[in-house]
Amino acid sequence: MYSLGEVEAISKKAAKAVGMTWGEAAEAGHAIRNLARFNLPNVEAFVLLFQELISGKLLRPSISSEIELTDGKEKIGFFLGLLILDSKFPSLHFKSESLEIKNVRFPVSLLGTLLSLVLNGAEIDVRWKGFKFKASVKSVTVEGENFNPKKVEYVYVRVIYSKVNRIIKFKNRVYVSEMNWMLLESLAFQTYVPDSEVSRKTGAGSGNLIDD
């Protein structure tokens, strides 16, 4: 078992290693942490995405504006989630909005980004074939077995903002398989600066602890 802090930190480094910006990597870490808090596929979902990104099987959009919600082209759930958060929901105040999006890869990574809305007082309803998820700060409902598909034909998203008091309790530790943890670590280590005299003098590592 790993603390959610550990999981988030190493996931962020792994995300950076596969080509994400540091901002995107931070959001990936948050998404993985939030999925774990709701007892949903977390590291295992993003490891698949990371592997396809680093192998070149998937190409990340260079900017979020390249993603069009209604064009029917294949979309990566995580980047789609970032676009939705940035462009669709910031102006919602005690209102609701619904979206139906076609051809989504790794939809659970989309759900992971949207879970931050729940932690800020929203109610969300996210569905794809074989899976339904509804959550607010009051309750969580999960239906279906298709938790972590690689691709779905469509995803339905509905968000409602309301004022409520948080009463549900979240997980603070999560099980990660040894294989998935090793994959995360191997990616994360690619972001580390090799130990050298130059790296120590410029602030990496612990530096010279003993004065010659």
Side-chain angles (χ1 to χ4, degrees):
M1 297 288 282
Y2 297 92
S3 73
L4 297 193
E6 289 179 285
V7 172
E8 180 177 354
I10 198 166
S11 296
K12 180 169 67 173
K13 290 180 177 293
K16 176 60 178 172
V18 303
M20 293 186 187
T21 66
W22 276 118
E24 292 166 347
E27 293 291 349
H30 295 328
I32 291 170
R33 183 184 185 120
N34 287 337
L35 287 166
R37 296 176 82 179
F38 284 88
N39 202 28
L40 293 166
N42 44 85
V43 169
E44 61 269 36
F46 271 79
V47 162
L48 293 172
L49 170 59
F50 291 165
Q51 288 177 319
E52 293 214 0
L53 286 170
I54 202 166
S55 70
K57 292 181 180 178
L58 283 180
L59 298 177
R60 63 172 298 283
S62 59
I63 53 174
S64 292
S65 61
E66 290 184 7
I67 305 173
E68 293 291 340
L69 297 179
T70 59
D71 62 9
K73 295 180 180 178
E74 186 174 273
K75 301 165 185 66
I76 302 172
F78 171 70
F79 297 106
L80 177 61
L82 297 184
L83 175 65
I84 290 172
L85 288 180
D86 289 344
S87 64
K88 287 291 181 182
F89 298 141
S91 60
L92 280 181
H93 296 288
F94 314 112
K95 300 177 182 178
S96 66
E97 178 152 353
S98 299
L99 301 169
E100 186 170 315
I101 309 146
K102 296 180 178 179
N103 297 326
V104 178
R105 296 290 300 271
F106 303 104
V108 78
S109 67
L110 163 61
L111 176 56
T113 63
L114 299 182
L115 287 174
S116 61
L117 296 172
V118 177
L119 302 177
N120 285 288
E123 176 182 338
I124 69 170
D125 182 349
V126 179
R127 306 179 185 194
W128 55 79
K129 187 176 181 179
F131 179 77
K132 297 179 182 179
F133 177 88
K134 293 181 70 174
S136 69
V137 292
K138 285 187 174 182
S139 64
V140 177
T141 302
V142 181
E143 297 180 21
E145 300 293 332
N146 193 21
F147 290 99
N148 190 25
K150 292 185 71 173
K151 184 178 179 180
V152 292
E153 291 183 9
Y154 76 92
V155 175
Y156 169 83
V157 176
R158 186 168 186 245
V159 176
I160 304 169
Y161 274 102
S162 60
K163 282 187 175 179
V164 289
N165 294 321
R166 181 179 301 158
I167 61 174
I168 61 174
K169 295 181 179 179
F170 300 104
K171 293 168 66 74
N172 57 18
R173 296 187 72 81
V174 64
Y175 169 78
V176 178
S177 72
E178 183 177 357
M179 181 183 71
N180 281 331
W181 190 257
M182 290 175 64
L183 285 168
L184 273 186
E185 282 189 326
S186 66
L187 290 169
F189 290 158
Q190 295 181 36
T191 69
Y192 296 161
V193 177
D195 184 48
S196 66
E197 187 66 26
V198 172
S199 68
R200 287 193 293 272
K201 288 181 178 179
T202 56
S206 58
N208 289 317
L209 302 180
I210 300 175
D211 190 356
D212 293 337

